[in-house]
Amino acid sequence: RDAMIDELRMERAGIRRALSPFERLTARERDVLAGLVDGLSAEEIAETRFVALTTVRSQIRAILQKLGVRSQLAAVAHANRVGWSPAATKLAVA
């Protein structure tokens, strides 16, 4: 029983560690990243969120910097690899 509990704790710690870079994203940045994960372009995100394209591009740059990646594709791949979703970030913080 203790070994199983320790294993579960280690697994949860690993998940929290993997999701920690995503916790630094603002709500708007999470929203933009969710759009990218859904396959939307920056133009489509700007249009659906009723914001300027330059705003979305600025948010994308912030996302890339906070996640330590160099492209939108890498950000999406990283999010998928660790199982990120906007809801997962909220749960990890709680």
Side-chain angles (χ1 to χ4, degrees), residues 28 31-32 35 40-57 59-60:
R28 298 285 179 154
D31 193 35
V32 169
L40 299 177
S41 67
E43 292 83 5
E44 292 168 323
I45 294 169
E47 195 173 294
T48 59
R49 306 304 193 265
F50 304 104
V51 296
L53 178 58
T54 54
T55 301
V56 172
R57 287 188 175 147
Q59 291 166 334
I60 290 172

Side-chain angles (χ1 to χ4, degrees), residues 33-87:
L33 181 56
L36 294 174
V37 168
D38 288 342
L40 299 177
S41 67
E43 292 83 5
E44 292 168 323
I45 294 169
E47 195 173 294
T48 59
R49 306 304 193 265
F50 304 104
V51 296
L53 178 58
T54 54
T55 301
V56 172
R57 287 188 175 147
S58 174
Q59 291 166 334
I60 290 172
R61 281 192 301 275
I63 291 166
L64 300 182
Q65 181 180 16
K66 289 177 182 180
L67 297 183
V69 296
R70 294 183 155 204
S71 70
Q72 293 177 39
L73 182 60
V76 169
H78 185 52
N80 286 327
R81 187 172 38 253
V82 301
W84 176 86
S85 71

Side-chain angles (χ1 to χ4, degrees), residues 1-47:
R1 179 172 177 252
D2 289 338
M4 290 174 68
I5 290 172
D6 287 342
E7 186 177 327
L8 180 60
R9 283 186 184 136
M10 288 177 25
E11 183 178 335
R12 286 183 178 170
I15 291 169
R16 278 192 302 273
R17 196 171 31 257
L19 291 174
S20 67
F22 295 92
E23 293 173 13
R24 292 182 288 185
L25 300 177
T26 66
R28 298 285 179 154
E29 291 166 351
R30 287 192 302 271
D31 193 35
V32 169
L33 181 56
L36 294 174
V37 168
D38 288 342
L40 299 177
S41 67
E43 292 83 5
E44 292 168 323
I45 294 169
E47 195 173 294

